């Protein structure tokens, strides 16, 4: 690490050393806006040098020019058009900068090419980068949340390092719906390795016209990211540091010991058991604890981030070097839910001549996650904190004969040295012990980058050839040691007798993997303007090859469990051995082209075509073809609009095209065999006709700028249909015991309306902006396969005419209030077992019997509406930004609610059960407390909740000392202090821990937490 710092220092010395090689003459002046107000902090640089300065609070500057260099000044300021002015021997140069106002001449990066925003005809959103600068999060995907209409970004959980889900215009397939990412021209399926502060621009390609140039990988949309580069002129150093805390929020109130014992006593009395109620007697025990397990589990989390960048250069060579560290310790005790990431990035661009340009980008990233069960999955740390009875303490008394310093935690309720315990308090796990013994470490080292060269041909440089080679190299290492702990319940194999019941016997799972993707693409781009005619054409080819391999092993029964012995060779070598390894590869070859024609800046048409050949498909369908066409009409350029001065831009767009999806298994089309002894056995019938999933999308859009584009509106309506979706089709048993064959069969359609509206006012000292977006979505399965009419999940059903993964179950009508109501409602049932106080379900077919025929669709887990709202304001040195984000019309199956409010086992419950039914008319929503089934064992609408929410995702207030520093000669451009808050409040009716989740079933998700951060940003 020290060597890297030394390299940085040498480069910085080189970068700054050239600034005093020439004799100097002074130039001074004032930079103002159109209203005559002086602009502080304007960059003033002598052209083709690193010699520069910034204006003071009144917009004044003084600069000593280098002799022998260009006697020209460049004035650059955010939100204004850059100006370059020759000095011409003058000692005074005054400038009036013109406001940019999101100029339609802005160039939008589309991947292989770039295009003026005014000429775009597809559904393309260029993210307003200033809105992202105040997000203090670890993942680039989190930064983009709430920024683009029709793009739904969801944190799977609040656990540090857990993945982020990105959906563009809904789910179009039953497989991978992740978009394709293009980072500095290099394709990738993951962007979690990026440092958010390194982003220069983000463009989202949503429709087929915009994304068709990426063909087989673009059916779920494309996100194009360019990272920051050095610029000619003054060298700069940027340091940013913040530190903060996180606190859990929105926890339900659970029963204390007195309430719990009363409720258990009531449940026993309602269960019809004979004999004396044991809970009545236990209420007088003196060894009952009063543990708040949620308070014991959650603590204050911490995060910190530090990043450093240096950039600069001349017109010939530009460079940027950056490094960053991010660390987060989550909100669960014992620090086994941490995440750390180190980033290093550098890029260099060299103009070897006025025609020949070369460049290189390199990113190194190392991320390490201490993984904890975060979705209620085994071992369910958070889930057990809810269900464990409060009567059990966290730790055993040191005087207890079963106490151990290595494992001081309680386990089985009131466990005795003779192995007995009291099961009436439910033998759930101790969540604090689970957190303590969690030891699952996962790491990823990534090398990502590219080198490129571009040469301009023809006398006027209108034809450019570019070649690019990219590398995406990943090394993974996952290691989980499962330490044995807990009380001995008498179970386990003979050699494991006497061990605790958790992780019996101890074991180690370890695997390592590597994956490399090499991309080589070549493009030839021609751009020509002839009078009123603009022609832009591009042809190209691309070759991508991917290879991955992994190796892993498992051992158990380790005699020594200290960290230095947690390696495969120290485990048992006689029984229960497992070793494994595998490898896979795929290749994609593509030819593509694109052409745009614009007449008189009014009428524009763009066509794209891509042909892909993938090794993932059968020999009969290696190739897939993906065309698109789009057109635009710049209505505001027509003569009849000249007198409509309040409309500064008005454009109508329309597009249609086809995209593909090749994100399937590598050898899905092949027939598989295995050898068992001397016998060769068929595992799966192949499908040589397997082909691409194909997405056809139509889009119509309107862009409208008002009041010199201070107000800007974009509206898009789309229809998207994906056909040939892959399905696993089981064959009849007479064929044999074989795995399902993969076939192209299903269709899914999505449609929606997307609206973005922004207003920015930079006039005067007080500046402010509002940027809002909203997107609707309707998802529906069109067809499956005749032999697969539906797909049933744990609580879902997917079939034509309904959304993907629709919630399916019984419909709750209320609570049975008396026996007469039961007899009437269940008139077709002989001696019904239901009792007053049980859940009443709707009899859909009216036969007086509640069975599977009475199940219906009870919820849609696909949001019908998503939205975001950015607010920003600035006054002199103060600035304020806020981001609101939310979804509407989404349902989730709250299994945690089922466990803590309705379950008939002696778990702990929330205080909501204090309002449960206890006599006719007392409740029509929460059934009676009992240890027998009260209807809560059925999948039903009672557990389906509206997970719509509005959340204040980010609020930041800062103060910049730029105006004060311009008066000094310290070489500091700006110091900004800021305080930031995340997830400050959430408006929702959802009773689970967090309404924002990717899971259809919420089993106790690791919640997102409130965060409060303090930071400083220094620029030299």
């Amino acid at each position: 690490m020290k060597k890297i710092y030394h390299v940085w220092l040498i480069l910085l010395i080189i970068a700054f050393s050239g600034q005093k090689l020439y004799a100097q003459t002074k130039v001074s002046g004032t930079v103002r806006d159109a209203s005559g107000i002086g602009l502080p902090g304007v960059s003033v640089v002598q052209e083709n040098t690193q010699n520069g300065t910034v204006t003071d609070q009144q917009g004044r500057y003084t600069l000593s020019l280098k002799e022998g260099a260009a006697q020209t000044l460049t004035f650059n300021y955010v939100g204004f058009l850059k100006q370059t002015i020759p000095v011409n021997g003058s000692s005074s140069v005054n400038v009036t900068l013109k406001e940019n106002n999101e100029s339609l001449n802005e160039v939008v990066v589309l991947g292989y090419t770039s295009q003026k925003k005014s000429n775009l005809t597809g559904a393309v959103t260029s993210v307003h980068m200033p809105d992202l600068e105040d997000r203090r999060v670890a993942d680039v995907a989190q930064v983009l949340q709430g920024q683009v209409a029709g793009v739904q970004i969801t944190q799977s959980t609040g656990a540090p390092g857990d993945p982020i889900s990105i959906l563009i215009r809904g789910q179009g397939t039953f497989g991978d719906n992740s978009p394709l990412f293009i980072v500095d021209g290099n394709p990738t399926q993951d962007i979690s390795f990026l440092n958010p502060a390194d982003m220069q621009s983000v463009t989202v390609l949503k429709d087929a016209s915009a994304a068709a140039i990426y063909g087989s990988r673009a059916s779920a949309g494309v996100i194009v990211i360019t990272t920051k580069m050095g610029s000619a002129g003054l060298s700069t150093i940027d340091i940013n540091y913040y530190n903060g805390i996180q606190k859990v929020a929105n926890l339900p109130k659970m029963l204390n010991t007195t309430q719990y014992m009363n409720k258990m006593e009531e449940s026993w009395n309602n269960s019809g058991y004979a004999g004396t109620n044991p809970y009545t007697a236990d209420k007088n025990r003196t060894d009952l604890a009063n543990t708040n397990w949620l308070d014991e589990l959650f603590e204050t989390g911490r995060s910190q981030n530090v990043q450093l960048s240096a950039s600069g250069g001349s017109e010939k060579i530009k460079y940027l070097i950056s490094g960053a560290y991010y660390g987060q310790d989550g909100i669960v005790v014992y620090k086994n839910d941490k995440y750390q990431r180190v980033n290093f990035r550098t890029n260099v661009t060299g103009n070897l001549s006025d025609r020949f340009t070369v460049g290189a980008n390199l990113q190194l990233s190392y991320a390490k996650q201490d993984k904890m069960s975060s979705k209620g999955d085994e071992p369910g740390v958070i889930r057990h904190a809810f269900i464990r009875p409060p009567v059990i303490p966290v730790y055993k008394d040191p005087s207890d004969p079963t106490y151990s310093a290595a494992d001081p935690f309680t386990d089985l309720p009131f466990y005795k040295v003779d192995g007995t315990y009291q099961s009436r308090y439910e033998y759930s796990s101790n969540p604090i012990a689970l957190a303590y013994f969690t030891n699952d470490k996962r790491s990823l080292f990534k090398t990502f980058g590219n080198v490129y060269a571009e040469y301009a041909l023809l006398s006027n440089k209108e034809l450019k050839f570019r070649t690019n080679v990219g590398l995406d190299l990943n090394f993974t290492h996952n290691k989980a040691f499962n330490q044995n702990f807990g009380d001995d319940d008498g179970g386990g194999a003979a050699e494991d007798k006497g061990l605790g019941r958790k992780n019996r016997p101890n074991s180690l799972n370890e695997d390592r993997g590597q994956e490399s993707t090499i991309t080589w693409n070549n493009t030839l781009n021609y751009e020509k303007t002839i009078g009123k005619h603009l022609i832009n054409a591009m042809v190209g080819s691309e070759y991508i090859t991917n290879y991955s391999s992994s190796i892993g092993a498992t051992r158990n029964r380790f005699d020594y469990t200290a960290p230095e012995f947690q390696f495969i060779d120290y485990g048992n070598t006689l029984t229960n051995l497992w070793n494994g390894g595998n490898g896979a590869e795929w290749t994609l070859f593509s030819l593509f082209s694109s052409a745009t024609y614009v007449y008189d800046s009014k009428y524009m048409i763009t066509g794209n075509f891509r042909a892909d050949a993938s090794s993932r498909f059968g020999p009969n369908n290696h190739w897939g073809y993906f065309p698109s066409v789009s057109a635009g009409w710049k209505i505001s350029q027509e003569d009849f609009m000249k007198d409509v001065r309040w409309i500064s831009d008005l454009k109508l767009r329309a597009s249609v095209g086809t995209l593909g999806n090749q994100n399937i298994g590598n050898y899905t089309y092949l027939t598989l065999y295995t050898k068992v002894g001397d016998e060769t056995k068929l595992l799966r019938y192949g499908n040589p006709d397997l082909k691409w999933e194909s997405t056809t999308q139509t889009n119509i859009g309107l862009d409208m700028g008002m009041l010199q584009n201070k107000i800007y509106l974009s509206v898009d309506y789309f229809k998207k249909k994906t056909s040939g979706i892959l399905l696993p089709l089981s064959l009849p048993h007479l064929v044999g015991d074989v795995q399902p064959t993969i076939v192209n069969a299903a269709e899914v359609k999505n449609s929606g309306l997307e609206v973005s509206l922004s207003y920015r006012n930079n006039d005067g000292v007080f500046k402010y902006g509002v940027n809002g977006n909203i997107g609707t979505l309707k998802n529906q399965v069109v067809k499956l396969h005749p032999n697969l009419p539906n797909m049933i999940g744990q609580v879902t059903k997917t079939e034509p005419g309904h959304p993907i993964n629709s919630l399916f179950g019984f419909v709750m009508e209320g609570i049975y209030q008396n026996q007469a109501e039961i007899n009437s409602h269940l008139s077709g049932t002989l001696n019904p077992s239901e009792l007053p106080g049980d859940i009443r379900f709707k009899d859909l077919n009216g036969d007086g019997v509640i069975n599977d025929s009475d199940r219906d669709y009870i919820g849609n887990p696909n949001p019908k509406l998503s939205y975001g709202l950015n607010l920003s304001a600035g006054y002199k040195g103060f600035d304020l930004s806020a981001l609101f984000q939310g979804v509407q019309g989404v349902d989730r199956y709250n299994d945690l609610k089922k466990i803590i409010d309705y379950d008939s086992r002696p778990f702990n419950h929330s205080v909501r059960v204090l309002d449960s039914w206890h006599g006719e008319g007392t409740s029509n929503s929460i059934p009676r407390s009992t240890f027998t089934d009260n209807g809560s064992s059925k999948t039903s609408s009672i557990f389906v909740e509206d997970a719509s929410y509005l959340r204040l995702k980010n609020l930041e207030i800062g103060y910049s000392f730029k105006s004060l520093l311009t008066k000094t000669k310290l070489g500091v451009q700006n110091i900004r202090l800021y305080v930031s808050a995340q997830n400050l409040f959430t408006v929702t009716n959802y009773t689970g821990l967090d309404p924002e989740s990717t899971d259809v079933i919420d089993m106790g998700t690791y919640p997102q937490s409130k965060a409060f951060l303090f930071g400083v940003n220094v620029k030299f």
Side-chain angles (χ1 to χ4, degrees):
M1 187 63 74
K2 289 184 177 179
K3 291 182 178 179
I4 294 176
Y5 292 148
H6 292 162
V7 172
W8 284 11
L9 183 59
I10 291 170
L11 289 173
L12 292 176
I13 292 172
I14 293 172
F16 285 100
S17 63
Q19 296 187 15
K20 298 184 179 179
L21 297 179
Y22 302 100
Q24 299 175 334
T25 57
K26 284 188 177 181
V27 177
S28 60
T30 304
V31 183
R32 298 181 174 89
D33 62 13
S35 62
I37 298 175
L39 294 174
V42 177
S43 172
V44 184
V45 179
Q46 185 178 4
E47 193 172 22
N48 296 329
T49 73
Q50 298 178 25
N51 181 32
T53 185
V54 293
T55 58
D56 64 14
Q57 190 173 10
Q58 286 75 40
R60 297 173 301 196
Y61 74 93
T62 299
L63 180 65
S64 296
L65 300 183
K66 296 177 181 178
E67 294 185 2
Q71 301 295 292
T72 304
L73 296 180
T74 298
F75 298 83
N76 200 2
Y77 192 56
V78 175
F80 291 78
L81 296 174
K82 183 170 71 173
Q83 286 195 38
T84 300
I85 300 176
V87 176
N88 294 330
S90 175
S91 61
S92 177
V93 177
N94 298 315
V95 180
T96 299
L97 293 183
K98 296 181 179 179
E99 194 171 349
N100 193 343
N101 280 331
E102 299 285 341
S103 171
L104 295 176
N105 289 321
E106 172 192 351
V107 175
V108 178
V109 179
L110 302 177
Y112 300 114
T113 63
S114 57
Q115 202 169 20
K116 285 185 178 181
K117 187 175 180 180
S118 59
N119 293 337
L120 293 174
T121 52
V124 176
T125 298
S126 183
V127 178
H128 187 252
M129 298 308 293
D131 288 338
L132 309 186
E133 293 177 354
D134 297 334
R135 299 297 311 278
R136 313 298 169 186
V137 291
D139 198 299
V140 168
Q142 293 172 274
V143 176
L144 298 176
Q145 192 172 32
Q147 304 296 329
V148 181
V151 178
Q152 183 192 348
I153 299 177
T154 309
Q155 290 187 238
S156 57
T157 79
D162 270 9
I164 311 293
S165 168
I166 302 179
L167 284 178
I168 299 177
R169 293 185 165 180
Q171 294 189 62
T173 180
F174 303 133
D176 188 359
N177 285 278
S178 300
L180 172 69
F181 302 100
I182 307 294
V183 180
D184 293 330
N186 225 17
T188 181
Q189 292 297 132
D190 174 53
I191 54 173
S192 62
F193 67 95
L194 291 174
N195 175 18
D198 284 336
M199 292 192 303
Q200 177 67 38
S201 70
V202 179
T203 306
V204 181
L205 315 182
K206 296 189 285 188
D207 72 338
S209 168
I213 198 66
Y214 292 102
S216 64
R217 297 168 295 160
S219 63
V222 180
I223 297 179
V224 181
I225 297 174
T226 60
T227 57
K228 292 178 180 178
M229 302 180 66
S231 57
L234 192 66
S235 296
T236 61
I237 297 176
D238 191 310
I239 302 172
N240 196 358
Y241 174 79
Y242 65 81
N243 197 315
I245 61 173
Q246 291 90 37
K247 297 285 289 184
V248 68
N250 195 37
L251 291 178
K253 187 176 182 181
M254 306 299 290
L255 299 179
N256 61 30
T257 289
T258 300
Q259 294 167 327
Y260 173 81
M261 293 300 293
N262 289 338
K263 184 55 65 173
M264 294 304 100
E265 181 182 38
E266 178 185 344
S267 297
W268 174 280
N269 292 334
N270 288 339
S271 300
Y273 295 150
T276 304
N277 189 327
Y279 295 101
T280 302
D282 280 358
K283 291 168 70 173
N284 296 319
R285 292 177 59 155
T286 59
D287 59 347
L288 299 182
N290 187 22
T291 305
N292 186 322
W293 288 101
L294 296 181
D295 283 353
E296 297 289 341
L297 181 66
F298 293 114
E299 64 176 5
T300 299
R302 298 191 178 277
S303 65
Q304 64 174 329
N305 181 83
V306 59
Q307 55 196 44
L308 168 68
S309 67
S311 63
S314 64
E315 294 298 328
K316 291 291 185 180
I317 294 185
K318 306 177 184 69
Y319 70 90
L320 183 143
I321 305 172
S322 71
Y325 168 80
Y326 177 85
Q328 182 180 0
D329 179 14
I331 55 176
V332 173
V333 295
Y334 291 125
K335 302 185 184 304
N336 289 322
D337 58 341
K338 294 187 295 185
Y339 176 76
Q340 301 175 81
R341 188 185 66 226
V342 178
N343 289 88
F344 172 80
R345 188 175 72 87
T346 182
N347 63 52
V348 178
T349 302
N351 296 320
L352 303 185
S353 71
D354 62 346
R355 291 180 177 272
F356 192 31
T357 301
V358 296
N361 298 283
L362 174 64
Q363 300 201 49
L364 303 177
S365 172
Y366 177 75
K368 181 179 179 182
Q369 181 189 24
D370 288 283
K371 177 65 176 174
M372 178 169 287
S373 60
S374 54
K375 295 186 177 183
D377 48 332
E378 188 66 29
V381 175
I382 294 173
R383 188 175 176 89
H384 279 281
F386 281 96
I387 65 177
R388 191 157 175 87
V391 297
I392 306 174
V394 178
Y395 303 99
K396 293 181 178 179
D397 192 304
S399 63
D400 189 327
T402 68
Y403 176 86
S404 164
D407 179 10
F409 306 100
T410 60
D411 181 27
L412 292 168
F414 304 106
Y415 184 76
K416 301 297 183 183
V417 71
D418 60 1
T420 60
Y421 59 93
Q422 295 175 4
S423 59
R424 61 178 172 272
Y425 293 104
E426 187 59 38
Y427 37 93
S428 59
S429 296
N430 185 329
I432 313 305
L434 292 175
Y436 178 80
F437 287 109
T438 293
N439 185 1
D440 186 354
K441 301 184 184 301
R442 306 182 182 189
S443 63
L444 168 65
F445 177 78
K446 177 186 279 282
T447 299
F448 187 91
N450 66 307
V451 294
Y452 63 89
E454 182 176 278
Y455 191 80
L457 303 167
L458 304 180
S459 59
N460 49 17
K461 306 176 187 177
E462 292 169 342
L463 182 64
K464 293 182 179 180
F465 172 75
R466 181 184 177 98
T467 185
N468 176 84
V469 178
L471 173 67
D472 185 356
L473 179 62
N474 300 275
F475 296 94
T476 59
H477 180 207
N478 301 327
K479 183 176 181 180
F481 189 82
N482 305 301
Q483 175 70 56
N484 173 248
F485 67 98
D487 294 327
D488 176 19
D489 62 355
E495 58 266 48
D496 300 323
K497 292 298 182 182
L499 296 179
R501 65 186 179 120
K502 298 296 181 181
N503 299 330
R504 182 173 51 199
N506 61 39
S507 62
L508 172 66
N509 304 315
E510 185 171 8
D511 64 79
R512 296 177 183 268
Q514 70 177 58
E515 181 178 12
S516 63
T517 304
I518 298 175
T519 302
W520 181 32
N521 54 53
N522 300 277
T523 58
L524 196 61
N525 198 310
Y526 178 76
E527 185 171 354
K528 180 72 172 179
T529 300
I530 306 172
K532 296 182 178 181
H533 307 273
L534 171 65
I535 301 170
N536 191 321
M538 184 265 294
V539 294
S541 66
E542 187 167 63
Y543 176 77
I544 302 176
T545 180
N546 172 279
Y547 176 77
S548 61
S549 64
S550 64
I551 186 170
T554 296
R555 295 290 187 273
N556 59 21
R557 299 188 176 93
F558 285 72
D559 292 327
Y560 305 99
T561 60
E564 52 267 34
F565 292 99
Q566 293 177 8
F567 295 94
I568 293 296
D569 278 357
Y570 292 104
N572 164 50
T573 59
L574 300 178
T575 59
N576 303 118
L577 304 182
W578 179 88
N579 307 292
N582 60 72
E585 58 185 340
W586 58 267
T587 302
L588 182 72
F589 176 71
S590 310
L591 299 171
F592 51 88
S593 63
S594 176
T596 296
Y597 171 72
V598 180
Y599 175 72
D600 199 18
S601 299
K602 297 180 185 179
Y603 315 109
M604 50 211 73
I605 185 169
T606 296
N608 297 292
F609 181 80
R610 181 162 177 139
D612 285 324
S614 174
S615 63
R616 286 175 161 170
F617 295 94
N620 299 336
N621 288 293
H622 274 316
W623 283 91
Y625 304 98
F626 308 100
S628 75
V629 63
S630 59
W633 177 25
K634 200 71 169 292
I635 304 173
S636 56
Q637 294 293 101
E638 297 289 355
D639 291 340
F640 59 79
M641 291 292 295
K642 288 184 177 180
D643 293 332
V644 188
R645 299 183 181 277
W646 62 276
I647 296 180
S648 45
D649 181 50
L650 183 62
K651 180 170 63 176
L652 183 66
R653 298 176 280 105
S655 68
V656 61
T658 301
L659 305 170
N661 177 24
Q662 70 134 20
N663 287 336
I664 65 171
N666 285 323
Y667 310 108
T668 307
Y669 69 92
L670 293 175
T671 298
L672 300 183
Y673 295 90
T674 187
K675 195 168 185 179
V676 181
D678 295 330
E679 180 184 359
T680 299
K681 182 181 178 182
L682 177 69
L683 285 181
R684 183 187 71 199
Y685 284 101
N687 179 8
D689 294 321
L690 196 69
K691 62 182 181 180
W692 310 79
E693 294 184 353
S694 179
T695 298
T696 300
Q697 190 170 173
T698 56
N699 190 97
I700 185 168
L702 179 73
D703 299 324
M704 185 177 182
M706 293 160 278
L707 305 178
Q708 298 301 311
N709 293 336
K710 286 186 176 181
I711 302 175
Y712 207 88
L713 171 71
S714 288
V715 181
D716 283 275
Y717 176 76
F718 71 92
K719 288 185 176 181
K720 182 172 74 169
K721 184 173 77 171
T722 303
S723 57
I725 297 175
L726 301 183
L727 290 177
L729 193 62
S730 299
L731 300 177
H733 287 295
L734 58 90
V735 176
D737 184 16
V738 295
Q739 298 175 7
T741 296
I742 308 300
V743 299
N744 298 96
E747 286 187 9
V748 172
K749 66 179 182 180
N750 290 276
S751 61
L753 179 70
E754 299 164 354
V755 180
S756 297
L757 179 64
S758 65
Y759 175 73
R760 303 193 184 280
N761 189 340
N762 292 322
D763 299 338
V765 179
F766 179 66
K767 307 177 188 301
Y768 59 94
V770 180
N771 186 1
N773 65 81
I774 188 170
T776 68
L777 180 70
K778 182 180 180 182
N779 174 270
Q780 187 180 72
V781 178
V782 178
K783 74 172 186 177
L784 295 176
H785 188 279
N787 295 335
L788 188 67
N790 55 60
M791 296 186 294
I792 303 293
Q794 184 178 347
V795 298
T796 63
K797 183 177 183 180
T798 298
E799 70 175 353
H802 298 275
I804 293 176
N805 287 329
S806 293
L807 298 172
F808 189 77
F810 294 92
V811 180
M812 178 194 179
E813 285 189 316
I815 303 296
Y816 290 117
Q817 299 297 321
N818 52 55
Q819 189 63 44
E821 181 183 351
I822 296 174
N823 296 337
S824 174
H825 189 63
L826 302 179
S827 58
T829 304
L830 183 64
N831 298 322
S833 60
E834 284 79 0
L835 295 173
D838 288 352
I839 300 172
R840 169 176 169 152
F841 299 107
K842 191 172 183 178
D843 183 11
L844 295 179
N845 58 10
D847 62 357
V849 178
I850 301 299
N851 53 29
D852 285 351
S853 299
D854 296 303
R855 292 184 299 170
D856 199 1
Y857 289 95
I858 54 177
N860 179 8
N862 304 284
K864 296 177 182 177
L865 186 111
S866 59
Y867 55 90
L869 177 65
N870 283 283
L871 306 176
S872 61
Y875 178 74
K876 295 185 177 180
F878 291 96
D879 61 85
L880 169 71
S881 66
L883 169 64
F884 295 87
Q885 180 268 333
V887 298
Q888 195 72 27
V890 58
D891 299 312
R892 183 157 295 115
Y893 191 86
N894 190 349
D895 189 75
L896 183 64
K897 174 184 178 181
K898 178 179 181 178
I899 291 294
I900 65 174
D901 284 352
Y902 294 87
D903 201 279
S904 56
R905 288 169 287 182
F907 295 143
N908 197 15
H909 304 292
S910 78
V911 295
R912 290 186 290 262
V913 301
L914 299 178
D915 295 324
S916 63
W917 187 94
H918 54 277
E920 188 168 345
T922 55
S923 175
N924 201 38
S925 59
I926 302 179
R928 64 191 175 98
S929 297
T930 178
F931 293 141
T932 58
D933 189 13
N934 55 14
S936 63
S937 63
K938 287 183 169 64
T939 298
S940 72
S941 60
I942 195 172
F943 309 122
V944 176
E945 293 189 332
D946 182 1
S948 303
Y949 69 88
L950 166 65
R951 176 169 280 168
L952 177 55
K953 295 292 292 187
N954 191 74
L955 177 65
E956 182 164 303
I957 301 173
Y959 183 79
S960 297
F961 295 87
K962 178 185 293 186
S963 60
L964 299 177
L965 293 169
T966 54
K967 299 179 181 180
T968 70
K969 297 183 179 181
L970 299 176
V972 181
Q973 295 185 35
N974 189 22
I975 297 176
R976 179 176 180 266
L977 302 177
Y978 57 87
V979 57
S980 180
Q982 298 171 2
N983 302 321
L984 206 54
F985 69 80
T986 303
V987 179
T988 184
N989 291 323
Y990 188 65
T991 62
L993 290 180
D994 192 351
E996 182 184 341
S997 173
T998 58
D999 294 330
V1000 174
I1001 305 176
D1002 181 359
M1003 300 181 66
T1005 301
Y1006 191 118
Q1008 293 189 57
S1009 53
K1010 288 183 180 180
F1012 300 92
L1013 308 167
F1014 306 87
V1016 58
N1017 182 207
V1018 183
K1019 292 183 179 181
F1020 297 93

